[in-house]
Amino acid sequence: MAERRAAAQNRAEREMDASVQQKKSIVLPIALGILGALLALHLGFAAWLRIDGRFPFRTQINGVDVSLRRASEVQRTCMDGYYPNMSFTIRARDAQPYAVIPESFDFSDAARVESFLPKNTLTWPCSLFTDSVYTTSDGNAIDKLAAQIEALSPAFRERNMLEPENAYLAYNEAENTFSVVPETAGSAIDTQKFESALTYHILYGSGDFDLSAEGVYRSADIRGNSAALLDVEERLNRFLAAEVVYEEGDLRMSFPARTLVPYLRVDRDTLDVSCDTSAAAADGVFDAFAAELAAALDSDGGQHDFVAHDGSVIPVTEKTWREKLDVAATTEALAALDFEDYCAAEDAPLAGTLVWERAALDALTDYVEVDLTNQRLYLYTGGELALESPIVSGCVAQRHTTPGGAFSLIGKYRNVTLTGPGYESFVRYWMPFNNKIGLHDASWRGSFGGMIYLTNGSHGCINLPRSAAETLFNTIDEHYAIVCYWRPSA
């Protein structure tokens, strides 16, 4: 029994071994066949990549997926002129359009993509798991196209490249106002802006390339809406409205700033404004106004009120002394005002200060007052009494009465002999003011004042004590008025 069981077990083991051997003889050839097929596939794919010049999986050139594509095709489509916009027309302001066609692009120096093919295609399985990214250039095709356009397009010809002109301010004489003249756009092209815009247009744009819309023209530095220009416009018009006003009593005369418009200078580049008052003065602009003002203000030699030492108001006829405006000083004051001075007058006109060469009789501060009625002389300096003295005037009985009036000093002389019909008198201080009538010392007199003049007066001169004559001589000059008057009868 035991023997039969052992024999059966041995027989089963032999059958199992035979089955395993049979299976092994079947699987091994199959496995070897599969491996051979895979190897053949690998080698065949590697050969295909190499022979056909194709890129392996997961390959990018310049951002384009070129996996399994032929290098020659990639060269043509991705390198030799593949741009979104290669056919368009350049449109300019003042020139004929210029057509750009694909043939205009020069890719002769473009890099060859064959250089990016793998040296060993047997390693192609690695491309299933790793990206291969390459970047190259188009051989500066766009730069060469830009140079070609700049050389051939009418828009870039010198006669068509007109520079822009700044906005400026112009004077309208009829309306007496300054206004803005807008800038001129011109047609000069900024080549740096052009080349940058052209590149962007070729890569990302569409349609025609409009130079104006692309903003490649040079623009004016100062535009019509410039805040600085509008500020100058406002200041210039404020200048036109300003005036220098001179007032005296009921008289009011003004020098309008607009008279100086021909002498205004506005720099178109810096917008600096100036007024060439030196040129205006040389042309007599200020002299003419000062002379006109003087003609209206200078007294006419008639009677004018004079305030005597005691407050009495006495009408005195102006003779050689007349109220007179200082034309030179007025001219100088006007010429000294500049553009900014006029513009500073916002709420009221500029105040003009009258400068008098000779003051009015009722405004004298330096003068000699001769009260013929009371035979007294008063010397005022700076409005203050500097000397008071008795006098002897022309003899009334002999018809040598000293005439009244306002006079100016003719001169001052030392040690002079005065001569006339029936007399010859030596004086140390001689100050004539009315032809041969003057102020002088009189050493031959023992007294002065009172009624001496009625019967024993001079030949018309004003006789003074020597000390008074000396003080007077050393004080007065041509700027002093000499006012002689007779008081009206009661």
Side-chain angles (χ1 to χ4, degrees):
M1 187 69 179
E3 293 178 356
R4 284 199 300 267
R5 187 181 300 119
Q9 184 175 354
N10 290 333
R11 188 171 50 252
E13 290 177 354
R14 286 194 299 271
E15 290 177 353
M16 184 177 295
D17 291 339
S19 176
V20 169
Q21 290 297 325
Q22 185 180 7
K23 288 181 179 178
K24 286 183 177 179
S25 65
I26 295 173
V27 170
L28 182 59
I30 292 174
L32 290 174
I34 292 174
L35 288 174
L38 290 175
L39 179 60
L41 177 64
H42 170 72
L43 294 174
F45 192 80
W48 177 67
L49 290 178
R50 174 174 288 279
I51 294 170
D52 219 20
R54 294 179 181 269
F55 290 97
F57 296 103
R58 300 181 70 168
T59 302
Q60 289 186 10
I61 296 179
N62 294 342
V64 178
D65 185 357
V66 297
S67 301
L68 305 184
R69 293 175 63 182
R70 286 191 180 93
S72 59
E73 179 191 354
V74 172
Q75 182 70 39
R76 184 178 67 257
T77 60
C78 296
M79 299 296 293
D80 291 349
Y82 182 75
Y83 289 116
N85 190 20
M86 289 185 64
S87 180
F88 55 91
T89 297
I90 293 178
R91 303 196 178 278
R93 281 179 182 163
D94 301 320
Q96 294 296 319
Y98 179 82
V100 176
I101 57 177
E103 289 78 3
S104 301
F105 289 75
D106 180 3
F107 295 99
S108 59
D109 296 328
R112 309 307 298 177
V113 297
E114 287 85 349
S115 63
F116 301 123
L117 289 171
K119 298 290 188 294
N120 183 5
T121 57
L122 293 175
T123 61
W124 66 264
C126 298
S127 68
L128 294 171
F129 311 101
T130 304
D131 290 330
S132 296
V133 179
Y134 304 100
T135 302
T136 185
S137 70
D138 61 359
N140 299 318
I142 297 179
D143 291 341
K144 288 186 283 187
L145 175 65
Q148 174 184 309
I149 293 172
E150 291 169 13
L152 300 178
S153 172
F156 288 86
R157 290 174 187 164
E158 186 175 352
R159 65 173 180 271
N160 293 327
M161 294 272 276
L162 302 177
E163 293 294 335
E165 294 183 4
N166 288 338
Y168 64 95
L169 293 161
Y171 177 64
N172 185 319
E173 186 174 1
E175 298 180 4
N176 186 38
T177 184
F178 277 93
S179 57
V180 173
V181 177
E183 70 277 9
T184 301
S187 55
I189 300 171
D190 185 320
T191 54
Q192 188 172 7
K193 290 182 178 179
F194 165 73
E195 291 164 7
S196 176
L198 178 67
T199 300
Y200 186 89
H201 185 75
I202 292 173
L203 293 176
Y204 308 106
S206 62
D208 291 343
F209 185 78
D210 189 312
L211 298 181
S212 294
E214 296 293 342
V216 301
Y217 286 109
R218 293 179 196 151
S219 58
D221 295 328
I222 301 174
R223 301 186 178 182
N225 60 355
S226 162
L229 185 67
L230 295 176
D231 176 67
V232 173
E233 179 189 25
E234 188 273 332
R235 290 167 61 210
L236 284 169
N237 286 318
R238 194 191 318 159
F239 172 88
L240 293 177
E243 57 183 6
V244 180
V245 177
Y246 289 90
E247 292 183 304
E248 183 73 9
D250 296 333
L251 178 68
R252 185 182 188 276
M253 292 184 66
S254 62
F255 178 81
R258 62 178 176 274
T259 306
L260 298 174
V261 167
Y263 305 95
L264 283 177
R265 302 289 180 267
V266 182
D267 190 300
R268 288 196 180 188
D269 295 323
T270 64
L271 295 181
D272 290 335
V273 184
S274 61
C275 185
D276 192 350
T277 53
S278 296
D283 290 343
V285 173
F286 303 119
D287 290 333
F289 174 77
E292 181 182 353
L293 183 63
L297 290 174
D298 289 354
S299 58
D300 57 7
Q303 280 195 340
H304 297 272
D305 290 340
F306 173 75
V307 181
H309 64 278
D310 60 359
S312 303
V313 178
I314 301 169
V316 174
T317 300
E318 291 183 337
K319 300 292 186 177
T320 56
W321 180 274
R322 296 181 182 180
E323 179 184 12
K324 184 178 180 182
L325 184 71
D326 191 328
V327 174
T330 302
T331 298
E332 185 177 347
L334 285 168
L337 297 173
D338 60 17
F339 175 77
E340 297 299 336
D341 292 324
Y342 286 102
C343 289
E346 296 180 358
D347 300 325
L350 295 171
T353 302
L354 292 172
V355 180
W356 296 96
E357 183 177 327
R358 290 180 179 174
L361 292 181
D362 61 354
L364 292 173
T365 57
D366 297 325
Y367 60 97
V368 176
E369 176 185 344
V370 182
D371 184 344
L372 296 170
T373 302
N374 294 314
Q375 295 289 287
R376 303 289 293 183
L377 177 144
Y378 304 89
L379 169 63
Y380 285 87
T381 299
E384 299 293 330
L385 181 64
L387 171 69
E388 180 180 354
S389 172
I391 63 166
V392 174
S393 62
C395 182
V396 175
Q398 297 180 15
R399 297 183 179 180
H400 295 312
T401 303
T402 302
F407 305 90
S408 58
L409 185 66
I410 295 174
K412 298 192 300 182
Y413 309 93
R414 288 294 310 274
N415 302 321
V416 177
T417 298
L418 305 177
T419 60
Y423 73 91
E424 185 176 298
S425 304
F426 173 80
V427 299
R428 291 180 171 81
Y429 305 101
W430 169 232
M431 295 161 277
F433 60 83
N434 180 13
N435 293 324
K436 293 185 178 181
I437 297 175
L439 299 155
H440 63 78
D441 57 296
S443 57
W444 56 89
R445 291 191 181 277
S447 61
F448 297 84
M451 299 298 176
I452 298 173
Y453 75 99
L454 293 175
T455 57
N456 190 25
S458 69
H459 289 86
C461 289
I462 307 298
N463 292 175
L464 292 159
R466 178 177 174 179
S467 60
E470 181 179 11
T471 299
L472 197 63
F473 186 91
N474 292 330
T475 303
I476 67 174
D477 55 30
E478 66 274 11
H479 296 101
Y480 277 72
I482 299 172
V483 183
C484 304
Y485 61 84
W486 294 96
R487 292 178 179 270
S489 301

